[in-house]
Structure formats: structure tokens, C-alpha cells
Amino acid sequence: MRVIGTSIPKIDSYTKVTGAARYADDLKLPRMAFGRILRSPHPHAIVKRVDTSRARAHPGVLDVITGTDLPHRYGIMPTTQDETAFAIDRVRYVGEPVAAVCAVDEETAEEALDLIEVDYEPLPAIGSIEEALAHPENRIHDDTKRGNIMKEVHLNFGDLDEGFAEADLVREDTYFFEGTTHAPMEEHACVADAAADGKVTLWTSTQTPHYVHREVAKVLGIRLSRLRVIVPPVGGGFGGKCEPFAHDFAACLFALRHGRPVKFTLSREEVFYCHRGRHPVKMILKTGVKSDGAITAVHLQTFLDGGGYASYGLATVYYTGALLTVTYNIPRYKFDGMRLYTNKPPCGPKRGHGSTQPRYAFECQLDKIAEQLGLDPAAYRKQLAIAPYSTTVNGLRVTTCGLKECVDRVVEASGWDERHGQMPPGRGLGIAISSYVTGAGKAIYWNDMPHSGVIVKIDRGGGVAVLCGSADIGQGSDTMLATVVAEELGIDVLDIRVYAGDTDLTPVDLGSYSSRVTFMAGNAARRAALALRAQLFEAAGALLDAPADQLAAADGCIFVANDPARSITFVEAAQKAEAEHGTLSAVGSYAPPKLGGEFKGAGVGISPAYSYTAAVAEVTVDPETHDLKVDRLWVAHDCGRALNPTLVAGQIEGSAYMGFGEAVLEEQVFRKGLHKIPSLLEYKLPTIYDTPEIVAMHVETHDPEGPYGAKEAGEGPLNPVIPAIANAVYAASGARVDSTPITPDKIQRALKERQRGASPPRQAPSKEVVATR
Amino acid sequence: MTFQVNGEEHRVAASPTHTLLEVLREELDLTGTKHGCELGHCGACTVLLDGAPVLSCLLLAVEAQDAAITTVEGLAHDNTLHPLQLAFAERGAAQCGYCTPGFLISGAALLERNPSPSRDEIKAALAGNLCRCTGYTKIIEAMELAAERMREAERVSAGA
Ligand code: FES
Ligand code: FES
């Protein structure tokens, strides 16, 4: 391998360090008009009247649209289509789009927003899981079967009663994970343009151009063939840009109506309202273990605070249960999940989608169990670790698993054996582990087509174009594609151009979510490149008078593998092959194998491979003020083969940073339906000062189905960081904080409770609420 | 209004209420300078004003008229990258790249006045810039690499 496994700079680095990269808001087209969105000031209200006449009359205003202009329902999941582009008769969260203005410039559009008159009749608002359950009569959506329950899931694997009866110790703990948001540095933006023939082009900052393509065409009522979605460089996503938004629909409609380009750029405050971020989740977790620590049964109940609409919530609620089984031997498992509608911005997928919250709960509880049984938390995790090539109790197929090696690496690097439990008061180490999918086994809409397609074409001058529908959101997917093709064709990465995320030009890739791109698009790219290589080798074999299967490609040459002096250039081979076969191009596609059980819900959690991570956190807790400082994080990640070690390290570090933020600083919180802190100053993103030193390590396994053995690295490393910090806080201070974020006041409260001998306050819904199930 | 940007003089007719950020991006098409908040919280809009980093979203364009302004487009000379730009590319310090112009400007200003910054000095200089992708690790590494290379280049040219 010449390129695979080396840390080449990202191919887009050069445009990014010079300011030349053109993100959505950097696009400027002749005659471009500008849009702004009017948003609801109420968390829940009937929209009685919207009068746009004064806004329309405002000089410079081209158009105003409201909910009735785009009445088609949409939703990212086919079975939960509960949104319209703009509210029609009801608003369900503060910040929900109500109308949009298109004007000659942004200021004029902004002025016109004030001229739109909306009469609202406020309704009682639901602000929490408890309120949603306690007030089924205050229905947020009229078509739910029961109150404000958007989705209920009940899965049972094995005889729980038997499992708990067998156990020597049964613990039931309740945890609460607070909601957090992605806060990508780039605010969402888009530009749409339309020609008189009714064809529309939409440039938008998205992770999922294919899904945006489908949904926007549907809502506009135009054929998919008339809409082209192009993804410019995306300034961060983390799950927050996985669906179409009101601005996408509005820009396209305005462009179609007026035959000119229209741009929308959201303000930072609006980004907080778009949200689709981490669900707040309450968890009741009951685990039975034998005296040696072996798990006999687990029962997990989750309650998700979903916000006003479904978004990806159907998948999220399943995800809160599905992946708990992938790390440890769990012989019996019961999962009850419930997602509730509330009057807050909709929650959706954020890095670690739905698995982050229960992983936090489980790893914190396991720490308590280890203490009760007198087991070392690190060794205990190795003892429980699932074996490679096994099947979990809920039918998930595990292939490679470097979990034990990950634990070994963080234990060694952190000096765990010498330091854990031996540190001076106020300081402590904590450990946790996790696992994550390498791509969802099913598309959002189930179908039999590939999840990823790649076209590779070779120009007779030797230039190679790689076309793929993927979206590079900073993780380096374009570089990954170039790396794979460079490896197989034996050429320099600089001879390759990647064209990604263009629904007209590039074959479908489902998008940058669920850590799927390296595995799926990487396999597709490799297949396309190998098909082309076969043609090149055939042509080269004729010229070199050698059988094609004895040739190799490297350094821009094709040569006889055991006699490299017999060689021709890549360009010569390409020209000969073009003369033989015609224009040189090939396609490759990838779909995951059929996986999983037969039960309803078996489609969530399946993946062609799982990554594994272990993390150790070192923290200092001031005994007086309870100020918490995370000093250092060691994170070891089994990403399969690291195709580009620097980029893998970057994903581990970025994930660890984000987990750190969620553990101790960040929270998306509301007061009476109003976002308390919709700004980057008050929503506490960790600064360079806050962020601890992060030591990233890879543990390489060789996945049999991943490209060159690769698995994922973009999300999994986030999950163990949060419970590792929580467990370290306990080691340092004696405080068990069973809710995030872990703050000094919560540490103080936990210590007071402990002194009083009281059990920590319940975070979960009351007994009555639970009994209603 | 007249502006000196990256060594070039520009005359623009802009509203006096416009910020320097707006004039740079919208009037001069220097879209390398980014925005993440337009409220002074994120540092994506950092540019140099007479060599000192400022947040262009908080500065009225009129206030910048007499100063020498440097944006990310002005860091490279004749398509030769500034050592910090090169280090960012090599070390993977630009993931999505959206915060990168701001970091490069703040970082270059530090290296200009302090060729051997400590980690704490690096952090102090970059504390006003938020990055959501990297966890800052690779950014710090890139700063250190660039500082080392710039010192080395200085030694070589002093010795020559
Ligand atoms: S845009 Fe100026 S600080 Fe954020
Ligand atoms: S690289 Fe994406 S915000 Fe810094």
C-alpha cells in the first residue's frame, strides 16, 4: 500500500487555508435576491391569521410566502411525515418558521419581516417529558395514537425474570442526559436558482444531498429530475444538517417564481432553532450481575424529549436501545423506549445518534457495580467484553472487535494500574468504553438500491475524476475517495479530482450520517477503480507482453510485479485502453449485506461493522468550590484500518472534545418554551482554554468487509468520554452525578446527599408515569 | 470609502452602518473571512488591522478606513503559502475549514510578535476563536510546527 495508511493532507486543505473554499454563503450570483424567515415567538399556538400585505407593499420586497404556499407534508422518515415547510395553522416551538420574505437585499427582507402580521392564539405548552406524559389532553399533534407519545418501542430478548432471579446483585439507577446542540461554526445557508424551463438548482449546506433532493422536490411538487442539489464545502454538521429546512424549500420556491437566484443565510440564533440535536433522555436502567460480575439481565427504559416534530426521532428512539448490547455479553435484554412531543425545537441526530445517552447511563452504572463487587473498573470491562465474530442477544452481527486492546491502550497510557484509587483527594481517573455503527444497515427509506455509488473516469491525459454523491463536511470524505482511487490506480493524489455531492452528476451516496461514508463509499470507489484497473492492466499486458494478473500499478506506472523494469506509464496504458475499450469509466456500488433479526425494529442498529472505543479521563475537583477541571483524556479507538492516521486522529480528538463539552458545559435548555441561551457566548462551546489535552490512539483491527479493513472513526469516540468523566468525578470527589452536564453545583448537591445518607434525587418520571405503560 | 486590504487599495460605496465584515465579504468579494455569529463570540471573522487581530463583525467599516487590513487571502504571497497555512494543511488542523481563516489570522499575528510561543501563549492568542471540529489539538500542533519552521528559516536567512 502506497497511499492507504499514510497521512496525506486533505485534498481540500489548500482551498481551506487560503480562504478560497466557497461555502454556501460565499456564493454570489448575478441578480441574486435574499430571503429571511419569520419565526414563531410562541412555543405552542394556533395561527389564526397571517397578513402579508404590508410586507409585500414594502419597497424592494419581491415576494412573501406562508405555510399555505407549500402545504405538502414532509419528514425525513417516511412514516413520520409531520412537518410542513412553514407552519400552516399551528406553531409547535419558538423559532418555528411561519413565513419567508424575498427581497432585493437582506436588510429589506429583514425590515419586511416586521410588517407581517400574525395573530396567534396561545395554547398550553408542554416543556418536558413529565409534562408531555401528564397532559395527554394538551395534544401537540392531533394524529398521535395516545397523548403526546410520538413513538413507543418494546423489545424483549430472553427471560428477564429468570435473569434477575439468577443475579446476586441487581441495581436500578435513573439517569438524565440533557439535550445539546451541534453548533457547527457555519450557520445553515443555501442559494437556489431556477431557469424559465422550471429546472431548479439548490446549493445548500447539508450532510445528505440525496435526502434533501427527495424531500424538496416532493414539497415543491416538482419531479426529482427537475431539481439538482449541490453541496458546497460544508462548515461542520455533526448531524445537524441531515434534513431539508424551511430555507431550502423557500429559496427554491422563490427562485422558481421569480426566475432569479435567492440566498438564505441563517443567523446564529436561528441555527439554535433549527436544532435537530441531541435528545434529552431520561433512563431507568436495571442490571443484574453475578457475584463475579457477569451480567445476567438488563432492562433499559428510555424517555426521549423529542421537541415539536419527528425529525429522525423514530430512528433515535430505537437507537437508544439497539446498541447497548454491542459491547458486553448481555444474555437477556429488555428495552422500552418512548419518544414524546414537546413544544421545543425538534431533536434529531447528533454525533453518536441515540447511543450516547444510554451509553453514559450504562457505563456510570457499571462503575457503581464494579465498586460494589470490588472489581477494578478497567479489568471488569475487559472481563465483560463481547467476543469478536459473535451475535448479540438482539441479533446484531459483530465482526472485528478491538475493545480489549482499546482498554489496554488507555490503561497503559494513563497509568491506570498505578494511579487509579491512589491519587490525592480531589483528583481521579475514570474509565468507560463504547461501540458505534459503521453505517446504518438500512437507508432512511427502505429500498434495494445501493447505499453508495461511485463513478471513476480517466481522461486520456491521465487525469482521473471521481464522482460520488457523498458530502464532505470536514471529515475528509473527498480525500478518502481520492486515496482509494490513487491506491488502486497507482497514481498521485494530485492527478485526481473529486466531484462530490451533486445529484445531477454524481451517483447516489446516502450522505454523511451514521459514520457510513468511508466504509460504503470507500468500497464503492474501490470497486470502480478495480474495474478500471482491469481494463488498464489488459491494455498494459498487451504492450508489456505479460499476463494482466502479473501486473501492478504504482507511482504513475504499470509494471510487471516481479520485473518492475518492464513498465509503461499510466498515461500510455490509459490511451491504449481507451483505444481498445472506448471512453474509460467505471462504476462501483456498495450495499450492506442483509443483517439483523426478523422482529419489528430489527432494522435499527444493524451495521456491516462496529467500531470500539475506550476512554480514560483525569479530572480535578476542588474540594471547596467543587470546580471541575478535566485535565486530560486518553481515547483509544478501534477504527479497523486507519486509511489516513492523521485524519482518524482528528476525528477522535474532535469527538472527544465534543463529548467533553456535553459532559461538563453544554446544554440546550428552555424557560417557558424560550431557548435560554441561543448564542455562542452563553451556550458554552468549549474554547481552546477549556478543552483538556486529548491523547488519541488507534487500535487497528482488519475488518473483513471494510475497504482495506477500515471501520468508522467519526462518531464512536465521543460516547465513552462522557461517562469516563462522570466516573472520574466520582473517583476525585465521591460525588455520583447522574445527570449531565456535570457541574459544580450538582457535585455539591450529590456530596450533601451522600453525607445525609440519602439516595440521589430521582431523575426519571414518577412511578405513576411508568405504570401507565 | 477607501480601504487598504492585503496591500491593495479599494474604493467602495457602502452604507456607513455596514460592518467591516460585510464590506469585505459583500463589496470586495473577500469571502475567505467567515462569520459564525456576527456578535463577537466566535472569532471566525478575525482580520488584522495594522497587524493586530480584530473581529470584523464588530467593527464598522468606516472605522477601518485608514488602517492596513489583512485577511486570510493576504496571508499567502504570490501563491506561496504562509508557513502556518502549510502547517494547518499538513497537520489536518482544518477539518471543515470554516473557523480556519480566523485561526490563521490570530495565529499568524502571534507568530509575528512572538516566534517561540509557549502552549499557554498559543492558547491565549487563540482563545477568542472557536472551532467545533478539531478539539484544537491539531491547531496547536500546527502552530508549533509553523513556529519551529519559521525560526529555522530565520536562522538560515540570518546565517546566509
Ligand atoms: S462572526 Fe465575528 S465573532 Fe463571530
Ligand atoms: S475546522 Fe470546523 S470549525 Fe474548526
Side-chain angles (χ1 to χ4, degrees):
Chain A
M1 300 276 149
R2 310 228 163 192
V3 199
I4 295 292
T6 64
S7 290
I8 59 165
K10 275 193 324 140
I11 60 173
D12 52 356
S13 299
Y14 300 98
T15 55
K16 286 179 172 171
V17 299
T18 53
R22 285 160 74 75
Y23 299 78
D25 187 47
D26 302 336
L27 303 175
K28 187 175 185 180
L29 295 175
R31 296 181 68 234
M32 190 159 77
F34 295 83
R36 295 290 297 156
I37 292 173
L38 181 73
R39 292 174 186 272
S40 166
H42 297 285
H44 198 191
I46 292 172
V47 181
K48 297 181 71 179
R49 187 183 67 103
V50 187
D51 184 347
T52 61
S53 51
R54 283 177 63 218
R56 286 178 177 279
H58 190 60
V61 170
L62 302 172
D63 202 351
V64 184
I65 56 172
T66 65
T68 50
D69 289 281
L70 289 166
H72 294 287
R73 287 231 220 173
Y74 78 98
I76 193 72
M77 310 295 289
T79 56
T80 56
Q81 308 267 311
D82 64 356
E83 276 186 88
T84 51
F86 293 86
I88 294 183
D89 44 23
R90 188 129 58 117
V91 286
R92 297 180 171 88
Y93 63 94
V94 171
E96 179 166 354
V98 172
V101 173
C102 178
V104 291
D105 56 41
E106 230 176 343
E107 278 102 337
T108 307
E110 185 77 40
E111 285 161 15
L113 291 184
D114 291 338
L115 304 174
I116 300 174
E117 292 165 23
V118 189
D119 289 348
Y120 294 100
E121 181 184 312
L123 295 168
I126 302 283
S128 65
I129 294 165
E130 287 77 6
E131 285 174 25
L133 286 165
H135 295 287
E137 74 286 2
N138 292 341
R139 249 183 207 217
I140 297 173
H141 287 269
D142 295 331
D143 48 7
T144 44
K145 283 202 210 91
R146 204 146 65 89
N148 287 307
I149 299 171
M150 178 234 153
K151 176 74 187 174
E152 248 183 288
V153 179
H154 304 286
L155 297 173
N156 204 344
F157 307 96
D159 186 340
L160 263 267
D161 293 341
E162 179 189 77
F164 287 125
E166 250 179 44
D168 298 315
L169 169 68
V170 177
R171 271 204 76 100
E172 185 180 303
D173 295 287
T174 61
Y175 293 92
F176 178 64
F177 197 104
E178 185 55 276
T180 62
T181 200
H182 323 81
M185 291 314 298
E186 178 204 28
E187 300 118 326
H188 306 50
C190 73
V191 176
D193 198 6
D197 59 7
K199 286 190 166 179
V200 188
T201 305
L202 172 66
W203 291 263
T204 187
S205 177
T206 184
Q207 302 175 234
T208 52
H210 175 61
Y211 295 146
V212 168
H213 188 210
R214 285 168 51 92
E215 295 300 303
V216 171
K218 182 171 75 191
V219 171
L220 288 179
I222 63 172
R223 292 187 194 186
L224 279 159
S225 57
R226 307 292 157 85
L227 173 65
R228 176 183 185 186
V229 177
I230 300 175
V231 188
V234 176
F238 316 110
K241 296 173 179 169
C242 286
E243 323 173 33
F245 289 92
H247 52 273
D248 294 313
F249 302 115
C252 290
L253 182 61
F254 284 138
L256 262 175
R257 281 191 184 172
H258 302 283
R260 62 194 284 182
V262 178
K263 179 192 275 188
F264 277 81
T265 306
L266 300 194
S267 69
R268 177 53 60 180
E269 184 178 350
E270 290 180 287
V271 174
F272 279 93
Y273 301 144
C274 287
H275 190 45
R276 321 277 153 161
R278 183 93 67 217
H279 286 71
V281 183
K282 302 204 165 189
M283 294 159 282
I284 305 173
L285 178 61
K286 185 175 171 188
T287 302
V289 293
K290 303 290 284 180
S291 56
D292 66 356
I295 295 172
T296 60
V298 173
H299 181 200
L300 170 67
Q301 298 174 72
T302 63
F303 300 82
L304 287 74
D305 179 344
Y309 292 94
S311 179
Y312 279 78
L314 179 69
T316 318
V317 65
Y318 277 109
Y319 266 124
T320 61
L323 298 185
L324 205 60
T325 55
V326 190
T327 51
Y328 301 124
N329 285 310
I330 297 177
R332 300 171 193 85
Y333 180 50
K334 185 169 188 294
F335 166 61
D336 299 297
M338 182 187 276
R339 184 180 190 264
L340 296 136
Y341 283 126
T342 57
N343 291 114
K344 296 190 279 193
C347 297
K350 183 182 170 193
R351 208 172 199 171
H353 192 188
S355 72
T356 304
Q357 303 94 328
R359 180 53 57 189
Y360 155 75
F362 199 80
E363 294 296 313
C364 288
Q365 189 185 60
L366 209 62
D367 212 58
K368 298 178 189 174
I369 292 174
E371 187 183 28
Q372 270 176 287
L373 296 179
L375 299 170
D376 174 75
Y380 182 34
R381 284 175 167 82
K382 279 176 70 181
Q383 174 197 329
L384 293 179
I386 201 163
Y389 296 95
S390 49
T391 303
T392 69
V393 68
N394 56 339
L396 304 178
R397 181 200 73 169
V398 172
T399 56
T400 49
C401 169
L403 181 52
K404 289 182 183 172
E405 295 80 354
C406 289
V407 172
D408 287 340
R409 290 291 296 278
V410 292
V411 160
E412 193 189 314
S414 64
W416 176 273
D417 288 340
E418 307 79 58
R419 299 170 68 217
H420 178 60
Q422 316 288 324
M423 297 170 80
R427 299 190 50 205
L429 292 178
I431 190 168
I433 60 96
S434 71
S435 175
Y436 198 64
V437 296
T438 301
K442 292 275 187 200
I444 295 295
Y445 65 103
W446 288 21
N447 66 81
D448 294 327
M449 292 177 277
H451 290 213
S452 196
V454 168
I455 297 172
V456 180
K457 61 179 273 295
I458 303 180
D459 174 71
R460 60 180 64 165
V464 172
V466 181
L467 283 63
C468 180
S470 52
D472 198 323
I473 56 172
Q475 83 278 43
S477 57
D478 286 0
T479 305
M480 181 281 298
L481 291 166
T483 301
V484 168
V485 173
E487 181 68 42
E488 296 304 342
L489 299 184
I491 57 175
D492 190 329
V493 169
L494 283 178
D495 292 322
I496 297 174
R497 282 178 206 258
V498 174
Y499 299 88
D502 179 329
T503 58
D504 265 14
L505 296 181
T506 62
V508 166
D509 174 88
L510 295 177
S512 287
Y513 69 95
S514 83
S515 282
R516 48 175 300 291
V517 182
T518 294
F519 198 98
M520 300 199 187
N523 269 324
R526 188 169 187 215
R527 286 172 190 175
L530 284 173
L532 271 179
R533 198 177 80 172
Q535 294 189 345
L536 293 171
F537 279 13
E538 193 190 311
L543 291 174
L544 291 168
D545 197 21
D549 63 0
Q550 290 179 15
L551 300 181
D555 301 327
C557 291
I558 293 173
F559 52 93
V560 181
N562 58 13
D563 184 6
R566 285 165 65 200
S567 161
I568 58 169
T569 65
F570 177 76
V571 177
E572 285 167 335
Q575 291 182 353
K576 173 77 172 153
E578 188 175 336
E580 305 263 311
H581 299 282
T583 300
L584 290 180
S585 80
V587 299
S589 40
Y590 174 84
K594 197 183 161 338
L595 295 164
E598 291 299 327
F599 56 93
K600 187 164 187 283
V604 180
I606 51 171
S607 175
Y610 298 91
S611 71
Y612 287 88
T613 320
V616 167
E618 179 171 349
V619 307
T620 305
V621 178
D622 186 303
E624 302 296 321
T625 62
H626 311 297
D627 263 351
L628 163 62
K629 187 168 173 301
V630 178
D631 302 304
R632 204 177 288 182
L633 294 167
W634 294 268
V635 184
H637 182 66
D638 162 21
C639 62
R641 175 95 185 265
L643 303 188
N644 182 318
T646 295
L647 299 192
V648 169
Q651 288 304 307
I652 299 173
E653 289 156 4
S655 294
Y657 146 89
M658 202 166 262
F660 157 75
E662 296 192 56
V664 305
L665 293 169
E666 297 180 32
E667 49 184 344
Q668 165 108 334
V669 283
F670 300 82
R671 185 185 291 123
K672 296 203 169 96
L674 275 183
H675 197 301
K676 277 205 218 166
I677 45 174
S679 87
L680 290 184
L681 184 66
E682 296 150 299
Y683 181 90
K684 295 185 221 137
L685 306 193
T687 67
I688 201 167
Y689 265 134
D690 302 319
T691 306
E693 186 188 339
I694 299 164
V695 182
M697 296 168 275
H698 339 131
V699 165
E700 288 199 322
T701 52
H702 192 94
D703 191 82
E705 294 174 26
Y708 312 95
K711 302 194 284 189
E712 76 90 34
E715 301 185 66
L718 182 149
N719 281 350
V721 168
I722 301 163
I725 290 171
N727 293 337
V729 166
Y730 175 71
S733 68
R736 289 281 187 200
V737 179
D738 290 343
S739 69
T740 65
I742 303 161
T743 51
D745 59 309
K746 286 188 192 167
I747 294 174
Q748 184 182 32
R749 226 178 305 142
L751 289 174
K752 276 207 186 123
E753 303 281 346
R754 200 174 121 125
Q755 273 168 8
R756 273 197 259 121
S759 59
R762 284 181 72 87
Q763 291 283 358
S766 62
K767 277 273 190 292
E768 303 80 78
V769 162
V770 177
T772 63
R773 334 180 46 154
Chain B
M1 292 186 251
T2 310
F3 298 96
Q4 307 292 332
V5 187
N6 302 328
E8 292 171 22
E9 185 171 300
H10 296 273
R11 285 169 186 282
V12 292
S15 145
T17 61
H18 276 187
T19 62
L20 178 59
L21 173 72
E22 287 169 314
V23 167
L24 288 172
R25 287 179 54 84
E26 289 158 26
E27 310 296 333
L28 302 180
D29 290 337
L30 292 168
T31 51
T33 302
K34 301 298 182 215
H35 55 79
C37 65
E38 300 190 57
L39 291 167
H41 301 160
C42 75
C45 65
T46 309
V47 299
L48 296 181
L49 210 64
D50 291 330
V54 294
L55 298 174
S56 63
C57 73
L58 293 185
L59 200 70
L60 286 176
V62 285
E63 298 175 82
Q65 276 194 97
D66 301 320
I69 299 163
T70 306
T71 69
V72 68
E73 289 92 345
L75 281 184
H77 285 294
D78 297 333
N79 218 15
T80 302
L81 296 181
H82 184 286
L84 191 56
Q85 291 174 303
L86 201 58
F88 262 60
E90 288 174 7
R91 285 294 148 101
Q95 284 189 23
C96 81
Y98 199 80
C99 69
T100 305
F103 274 96
L104 288 169
I105 291 288
S106 301
L110 171 67
L111 297 181
E112 183 68 36
R113 62 174 193 272
N114 180 355
S116 313
S118 65
R119 269 211 170 184
D120 279 340
E121 287 168 330
I122 291 173
K123 288 185 180 178
L126 303 181
N129 294 81
L130 293 174
C131 173
R132 198 60 167 159
C133 297
T134 61
Y136 305 104
T137 312
K138 299 261 176 283
I139 291 174
I140 295 173
E141 284 173 23
M143 284 290 292
E144 292 176 343
L145 178 66
E148 190 187 311
R149 285 182 180 163
M150 287 166 76
R151 289 194 303 269
E152 182 58 30
E154 191 63 30
R155 263 197 300 277
V156 170
S157 69

